[in-house]
Amino acid sequence: MLETPEAVLDALRENDERPYGLPRTVRAEELVEAAGQFEDKGLLVTALLELMEAYEYTGEHRKSPVVFARLLQLWDEDRGAFNEWEGHQVYWRFKWVTTSLLEVPDVPLATIEQWIGRMRERYREAGHGMQPVAAMAHRVALHTGSGLESAYDLWVTRPRERLSDCEACEIRHRALHHVLLGEDEQALRIWAPLFAGAVSCQEEPYVSHAFALLPLLRTGRVDEARSHHLAGYRYARGRTGMAEEVGLHLEFCALTRNEGRGLEILAENRGLFEVTGAPKARLAFLTGLQVLLGRLVEQGYADTPVAGPPGRQWTARTLNEEIGTEADELAAAFDRRNGTAAVGERRRERLERRPVLDEPLALGLRVTPLTGPKDGGAAAEPVPAPATAHRVAVPEDFAELVAEARRLADRGHPGDTPLWERVAERVAAEGYVHDPALGPLDLLLAELAEQRAFAEDERGGNGRDAMAEAAGLYARAGLPWHELAARARVACRPGAGKGHGEHGEGSADEPAGHLAVRRELEPLMELAERMLPGGDREPDADFRPDKYLVVLHCRAFAAHTELVDALPDAGPETAARFQDAVAALRAAAERREVPHQVAAAHLYEADIAARTGRIEEAVERQRRSQEILEETGTPWRATRGMLLLGQILMRTGRPGEAAEVFRQAMARAARYDDRSFPATAVHAMLGHACRHAGELSGAVRHLSEAAARMEREGDHNGAAECRLELADALAASGQPEDAVAVLESVVREGGAESGGPLDERLLAQIRLTLARGLTELGEHRAAAEEFLSLADTVAGWEEQFTHTMVAAQAAAALARAGRPQAAGAARERALDSHRRAPSPVPVLEMLREFADLATRGEEEDLQAALGHLAAADELLAGVPEDPEEFPHWYHAGHNHLCRARCLARAERFEEALAEADRADSRLAEGGPDGEAGRAETARLAALIEGNGLERPKGAVARLDAAVRRCAGAGLQEAAGILTALREDMASR
């Protein structure tokens, strides 16, 4: 009940804790009415300011000036009703009214200009400077396009005042001036300190993230644009006061060919259709949405269902038409009001924008792909080949087409793939008549079946049936060597995959499978030896040395697979079979002068050498394999070996070199248009290598691409693993909000209902990382929700120490979120779980967190803090001594350090200093590993001694010793902090 001023004031405080949105606004309106019944005008002032703030941040700009008029009237009648902060707000919010009036086309421009004049007079009377007034005049000029340059000069040449917008917001408006003029580089230079974190405010840099998207794309800084989208949209999502920013993110999705992501954003912000209090922002939102919908219509997705205003079902076409009419009317209304064509022209310019990238920009997010029927609209724009690609021309003449496909196939050139695809189309076409000049029809059909087998293998399937079909067709064609090679390829295919033109790595499911493979291959090998020309035997008409070597290669492949499966416990017979098979392949290939098979033998040996720790031999053999292929003019065959080299370099801790090898392999595959190249896996490997090499931007780029490809290929778990690593890379590169956005997208779409259910344990790891990321961002309530949900998930797992860890972190998150009762219950749950399944580290950290929080804020409770730390000491005493697994010195030291902080806050300085000394003593037991903790202990002890106990000389001596230790341990940042504190203490 709001029957007393105190009750209204309590309700105002409670409402201030709510997020901006309709519930907060409605409550604010009720509280203004309640405050008006009392004689205390100060209460009404507070309620009106709260209501105006609610309108400002929820896009209700039509209502804001009315509230301010009441405030201004109260100000003129009784300034004693305003405290110092509220009086400042009266002048500050003159600017809010200017922007609110500008938002509504019904308000004449003359009225806005008169308001700015009134603001000028009020500022002058109060002795305030004119820079904020000039800023508002520039805001009007930016909107109307009239007198823009002079308004800008009048604003930026004036010094900042107490009532100027914060520096972060002024940076945004200065940058937007240059964006409007098409001066993207200058705008980005102005934005630089904001994006570097040098300045910020409640809204920044998140608002600027949206406005910088287009300049970043136009200047080719796509990695930065991706980051701005991830962090900026995450802030704007669901905020009714950020309709314009949401529109910019929708436009970004269209310009980067991420239309599916755009539709997700639209669905998440459907409530914006019902927000009409800020027409200028609504126009910007609708125009950005039209850029997206226009792309969908152009691509043939006009009939795809999309989220629109409630009450009916919408497609891309119908929604585009509906909002287009409204937006045109709004733009015309603004132009009529302004007496210029600026608003309409800017809208037309936005609608004419087209994607700035040839391929979709990988965002790293898990996105639901576009669904719904294509309506036969415009065909998708062709994606140009890389400028360096050696595209193979596809002859029109069928005989030339077949001849060229066979020639390239013989050379192992990947360019044969599109030719064989075209041959298959022509053969399958109605009315095809075979030309005997091309050889028997069965030969051509066999070649096509063989290509189908290769293609199935490359897609991760098993081309055994297609290869068996090829063998039968070769037999009918009277080509025994071709048949034998195909039968050998069938024999070693119990689940193995194959690269283009050669068998790649694979394995049988069990040892019995290897025996079955040998039993199939041995008679084929014997037959090949009998069929070889020599002595009295004349060569078969179709004898080719390379077919004989295929049989030898298949035996080497099978022996390699068997040995790999047996490592590290392979017996001598398995190792000998591999060595004999590879030696035979290499010897025969050298004798028959088939160099790519010599290279293959070297590559098999390189792989086994790497797996058994003979790294230098592995590298040498791989490089010899690559040299052979390059010397013989077939560099396209070397890419698989390059991938092996990259993996070897990764295993030996040389990620920078590995990354360069992976890049070279990708470039070579692109150059020769190798469609069989495992680009998805290589993007993942390259991203992994870049992350370990410290090339974080490269890691983000390639892990994002790998995840997007895996998702399209249906490998949802692989994509999620990539995104987990991507989040680590983003966090390490100082982009924690981007990391959280990536993980949120996985969690949001990770359930079975998404069509791509994830492995339970993988999803749990992702949620754990997400919860920790939310904690780092200070979003403690969201973190607590994730931890609690995760705790329920892992409660049934066999390894209950996982539940203990998650429960402890959930309790700490709840405490940080200001939910003491729930935090206490979660703490007891964690302690109970620890008794059943010990996990001491997270539980100790939880207890220290509870102790620390108990002595912060308005209601300090030292006894509660000491109780938590006593429980931590007791728990620690029960952990067995094991320096390798559990450093007692570390946790004992941090228990003492936390106790010292709590005592110092309670001004029990002697006890606090004694605890700090105990902390230092325990942390010293850790040697070099304890120095970072000792530095923090020294800082706290010096503050206690110098400030609390007023003994600065003792503090200086303590800091001198600590600085020397830090310098010796290479802790330069800590040494700098302690040195600055020492100088402060010494100056006393």
Side-chain angles (χ1 to χ4, degrees):
M1 298 295 290
L2 302 174
E3 296 178 351
T4 65
E6 291 75 17
V8 174
L9 193 59
D10 288 342
L12 284 166
R13 291 195 188 102
E14 181 184 351
N15 201 41
D16 190 54
E17 295 294 319
R18 288 192 174 98
Y20 294 113
L22 185 59
R24 175 168 175 167
T25 301
V26 170
R27 185 59 169 163
E29 291 171 337
E30 294 171 352
L31 293 175
V32 166
E33 184 176 349
Q37 66 183 309
F38 303 109
E39 292 183 6
D40 181 3
K41 298 304 179 187
L43 186 61
L44 180 58
V45 167
T46 303
L48 287 168
L49 286 168
E50 161 64 21
L51 178 58
M52 190 176 180
E53 182 177 333
Y55 285 153
E56 176 73 14
Y57 289 104
T58 53
E60 292 290 347
H61 290 278
R62 291 181 185 273
K63 300 177 180 179
S64 188
V66 177
V67 179
F68 188 72
R70 290 185 67 184
L71 273 171
L72 203 56
Q73 182 180 357
L74 285 169
W75 175 253
D76 290 337
E77 292 173 354
D78 183 7
R79 297 198 177 185
F82 292 75
N83 62 31
E84 182 180 354
W85 180 83
E86 290 168 342
H88 176 75
Q89 286 297 303
V90 170
Y91 291 100
W92 183 269
R93 296 191 185 190
F94 265 95
K95 298 180 293 181
W96 288 14
V97 174
T98 304
T99 55
S100 292
L101 294 173
L102 202 61
E103 276 279 348
V104 183
D106 303 343
V107 178
L109 193 62
T111 301
I112 300 171
E113 291 168 346
Q114 288 169 7
W115 177 258
I116 293 175
R118 188 177 177 188
M119 176 182 173
R120 182 181 295 108
E121 292 170 7
R122 291 273 188 164
Y123 273 42
R124 184 178 294 113
E125 290 172 1
H128 296 305
M130 292 295 108
Q131 195 261 13
V133 180
M136 292 301 102
H138 173 261
R139 207 73 59 84
V140 174
L142 194 69
H143 171 63
T144 64
S146 178
L148 184 56
E149 287 300 328
S150 59
Y152 183 74
D153 290 341
L154 285 171
W155 167 41
V156 298
T157 55
R158 281 180 161 80
R160 284 175 49 76
E161 304 284 347
R162 182 167 177 255
L163 286 166
S164 297
D165 281 347
C166 77
E167 187 176 356
C169 289
E170 285 212 338
I171 284 175
R172 175 177 82 243
H173 288 293
R174 286 173 54 210
L176 288 177
H177 174 87
H178 291 282
V179 172
L180 187 65
L181 297 177
E183 299 168 355
D184 292 336
E185 293 288 359
Q186 177 63 12
L188 293 171
R189 279 192 291 272
I190 291 171
W191 259 315
L194 180 63
F195 294 146
V199 291
S200 64
C201 71
Q202 179 179 337
E203 295 183 329
E204 290 295 350
Y206 306 108
V207 173
S208 287
H209 281 321
F211 285 101
L213 290 171
L214 182 63
L216 288 168
L217 289 176
R218 289 194 299 212
T219 55
R221 294 157 68 169
V222 294
D223 290 338
E224 292 175 65
R226 176 199 297 113
S227 175
H228 284 282
H229 169 65
L230 293 176
Y233 173 66
R234 186 171 179 273
Y235 180 84
R237 181 177 59 211
R239 294 178 185 261
T240 57
M242 297 191 74
E244 181 169 7
E245 289 79 2
V246 172
L248 291 168
H249 286 287
L250 291 169
E251 178 182 277
F252 167 83
C253 292
L255 300 183
T256 59
R257 301 179 184 273
N258 279 287
E259 293 84 1
R261 164 71 170 162
L263 291 184
E264 288 186 349
I265 291 174
L266 177 59
E268 289 174 340
N269 294 274
R270 193 172 188 176
L272 289 177
F273 288 110
E274 298 181 275
V275 179
T276 59
K280 184 164 75 72
R282 182 176 179 83
L283 172 61
F285 163 68
L286 295 178
T287 303
L289 174 54
Q290 274 199 277
V291 177
L292 172 69
L293 296 174
R295 280 287 301 155
L296 291 168
V297 172
E298 288 174 6
Q299 291 181 294
Y301 288 100
D303 295 327
T304 295
V306 300
R312 60 173 284 192
Q313 295 181 337
W314 298 93
T315 65
R317 178 191 288 110
T318 58
L319 182 59
N320 193 37
E321 292 169 352
E322 178 78 12
I323 66 173
T325 301
E326 180 188 351
D328 285 342
E329 292 172 354
L330 277 174
F334 278 113
D335 283 343
R336 281 194 303 272
R337 188 271 300 276
N338 299 336
T340 67
V343 174
E345 288 175 357
R346 288 172 201 157
R347 170 170 157 74
R348 284 188 289 275
E349 179 190 343
R350 285 184 74 181
L351 293 175
E352 290 171 0
R353 287 173 187 158
R354 291 296 178 271
V356 297
L357 304 174
D358 293 329
E359 296 183 2
L361 174 63
L363 301 176
L365 304 172
R366 192 178 196 201
V367 177
T368 303
L370 284 175
T371 57
K374 271 204 167 191
D375 61 9
E381 299 139 58
V383 177
T388 55
H390 289 191
R391 285 290 175 101
V392 173
V394 180
E396 284 298 321
D397 180 78
F398 187 65
E400 293 178 11
L401 176 65
V402 174
E404 183 63 6
R406 286 170 173 168
R407 186 186 73 82
L408 292 177
D410 286 344
R411 300 196 70 206
H413 193 295
D416 72 332
T417 299
L419 302 189
W420 284 119
E421 289 173 352
R422 183 63 181 136
V423 170
E425 290 174 7
R426 297 279 291 271
V427 170
E430 187 176 353
Y432 171 73
V433 177
H434 185 67
D435 182 354
L438 298 175
L441 175 59
D442 285 332
L443 167 60
L444 187 57
L445 295 177
E447 291 168 320
L448 292 175
E450 198 169 53
Q451 293 301 318
R452 285 201 310 278
F454 294 158
E456 288 175 22
D457 291 340
E458 287 155 7
R459 289 193 297 268
N462 189 327
R464 184 183 178 99
D465 291 343
M467 191 60 72
E469 179 186 345
L473 289 164
Y474 281 132
R476 278 169 40 183
L479 299 169
W481 277 104
H482 285 71
E483 176 196 356
L484 184 59
R487 288 173 61 193
R489 284 171 166 151
V490 171
C492 66
R493 256 179 170 79
K498 177 195 78 67
H500 190 96
E502 300 297 344
H503 291 279
E505 291 187 356
S507 64
D509 293 334
E510 54 188 7
H514 296 303
L515 178 61
V517 169
R518 288 204 305 276
R519 286 176 174 170
E520 280 195 65
L521 278 174
E522 284 170 2
L524 297 177
M525 193 68 242
E526 293 171 1
L527 177 60
E529 297 294 343
R530 291 197 302 271
M531 289 171 59
L532 279 175
D536 297 335
R537 178 172 174 77
E538 293 294 322
D540 291 302
D542 79 317
F543 172 70
R544 283 169 40 178
D546 63 311
K547 299 301 179 185
Y548 169 63
L549 286 165
V550 165
V551 183
L552 290 175
H553 188 126
C554 289
R555 183 175 64 175
F557 165 75
H560 171 265
T561 302
E562 183 179 8
L563 180 55
V564 167
D565 283 356
L567 290 175
D569 302 316
E573 290 185 6
T574 303
R577 265 195 300 274
F578 169 75
Q579 291 164 358
D580 292 346
V582 172
L585 173 63
R586 183 171 58 250
E590 289 172 346
R591 186 170 62 253
R592 303 277 180 180
E593 298 182 343
V594 183
H596 73 270
Q597 294 287 17
V598 179
H602 280 295
L603 209 55
Y604 280 131
E605 290 175 316
D607 183 57
I608 295 301
R611 292 174 186 270
T612 53
R614 294 172 286 129
I615 301 303
E616 292 307 317
E617 178 187 344
V619 172
E620 181 181 346
R621 286 193 177 279
Q622 187 284 330
R623 288 187 169 148
R624 180 58 193 140
S625 171
Q626 188 169 335
E627 287 170 3
I628 291 170
L629 296 172
E630 290 173 349
E631 288 167 359
T632 55
T634 57
W636 49 81
R637 290 184 182 269
T639 53
R640 300 314 191 280
M642 295 169 75
L643 299 185
L644 173 60
L645 175 59
Q647 292 170 299
I648 292 171
L649 292 169
M650 280 299 296
R651 289 179 203 162
T652 55
R654 293 146 73 180
E657 295 176 58
E660 184 56 33
V661 170
F662 289 140
R663 286 192 186 95
Q664 291 173 3
M666 291 183 77
R668 185 169 295 189
R671 183 178 186 183
Y672 294 105
D673 193 23
D674 186 352
R675 301 185 188 182
S676 69
F677 184 76
T680 300
V682 179
H683 276 293
M685 289 190 287
L686 180 50
H688 184 69
C690 286
R691 185 168 75 87
H692 285 276
E695 300 175 33
L696 295 176
S697 62
V700 170
R701 186 161 51 252
H702 291 291
L703 289 169
S704 297
E705 181 65 28
R709 287 170 174 265
M710 289 177 183
E711 205 72 67
R712 289 196 297 270
E713 294 165 7
D715 183 5
H716 301 299
N717 285 307
E721 289 173 356
C722 274
R723 290 187 174 111
L724 182 59
E725 185 170 9
L726 169 60
D728 288 340
L730 287 166
S733 62
Q735 299 166 264
E737 289 165 315
D738 300 18
V740 165
V742 167
L743 295 173
E744 284 176 333
S745 77
V746 180
V747 169
R748 184 178 65 244
E749 299 291 338
E753 69 279 359
S754 69
L758 299 181
D759 175 79
E760 180 186 46
R761 290 175 183 269
L762 172 60
L763 185 56
Q765 181 60 54
I766 290 169
R767 298 187 74 169
L768 178 63
T769 307
L770 170 59
R772 290 171 174 170
L774 290 166
T775 299
E776 289 297 316
L777 292 178
E779 299 181 23
H780 300 304
R781 291 195 177 189
E785 289 174 5
E786 282 297 332
F787 277 128
L788 288 170
S789 177
L790 182 58
D792 291 338
T793 298
V794 304
W797 288 9
E798 183 177 347
E799 57 273 30
Q800 277 295 289
F801 63 86
T802 303
H803 176 262
T804 303
M805 173 194 68
V806 175
Q809 293 183 343
L814 285 165
R816 286 188 291 264
R819 298 173 59 188
Q821 291 184 335
R827 182 187 67 241
E828 293 308 312
R829 177 182 181 181
L831 291 171
D832 182 60
S833 181
H834 173 74
R835 286 187 281 271
R836 297 193 309 273
S839 185
V841 172
V843 177
L844 286 167
E845 291 173 346
M846 174 195 72
L847 290 169
R848 288 196 289 267
E849 184 77 13
F850 270 81
D852 186 69
L853 290 169
T855 54
R856 291 179 181 270
E858 297 178 4
E859 299 180 4
E860 294 185 0
D861 190 343
L862 177 62
Q863 292 310 309
L866 296 177
H868 294 311
L869 290 169
D873 289 340
E874 181 181 354
L875 187 152
L876 183 59
V879 180
E881 292 283 348
D882 187 347
E884 294 289 328
E885 295 295 325
F886 186 87
H888 266 253
W889 60 266
Y890 175 89
H891 290 285
H894 280 275
N895 282 0
H896 286 301
L897 181 58
C898 185
R899 190 176 285 109
R901 285 199 193 96
C902 295
L903 290 165
R905 289 183 192 130
E907 299 186 0
R908 290 165 57 171
F909 298 120
E910 290 288 1
E911 296 171 77
L913 187 60
E915 282 297 319
D917 287 336
R918 294 186 187 101
D920 184 72
S921 177
R922 292 307 308 267
L923 292 169
E925 296 174 18
D929 292 338
E931 287 302 331
R934 293 188 74 192
E936 171 56 20
T937 302
R939 188 190 70 81
L940 177 62
L943 289 170
I944 294 169
E945 195 166 17
N947 293 345
L949 297 173
E950 299 182 353
R951 302 200 301 251
K953 287 185 179 180
V956 168
R958 183 185 297 274
L959 289 167
D960 282 337
V963 168
R964 287 194 296 272
R965 286 199 309 270
C966 288
L971 301 173
Q972 300 304 321
E973 184 178 356
I977 293 170
L978 296 179
T979 298
L981 180 57
R982 183 222 179 268
E983 291 173 356
D984 177 57
M985 293 289 179
S987 69
R988 304 180 192 181

